[in-house]
Amino acid sequence: MTESAGKSPEQLDRLRRRAAFLRELDEAKALRDRIAPRRARVRQLREAMRRATYHH
């Protein structure tokens, strides 16, 4: 890993656990989208509207 330079073992362990958690979260979201496609479509439309109406 290139990010390991200057990081303690605790930080590296935390980063590994975080990466694993985010991977599992993505898998869970994909599974939920396959199980409930209508709900997934509604969620995607809401997110798109939220992005479209967000002003800096």
Side-chain angles (χ1 to χ4, degrees):
M1 283 189 191
T2 57
E3 69 219 14
S4 63
K7 292 215 166 56
S8 70
E10 295 86 19
Q11 287 173 316
L12 292 174
D13 184 48
R14 190 179 143 278
L15 287 172
R16 272 194 291 274
R17 280 186 283 122
R18 182 174 183 272
F21 170 76
L22 292 174
R23 263 195 312 277
E24 290 171 9
L25 184 64
D26 282 343
E27 289 173 13
K29 284 181 181 177
L31 178 63
R32 190 177 58 197
D33 289 353
R34 283 197 304 275
I35 291 172
R38 183 181 304 154
R39 192 176 294 160
R41 208 166 28 252
V42 169
R43 182 177 52 79
Q44 289 169 350
L45 288 172
R46 281 196 188 119
E47 287 176 1
M49 286 300 293
R50 195 175 302 131
R51 282 193 302 271
T53 59
Y54 178 77
H55 300 288
H56 297 273

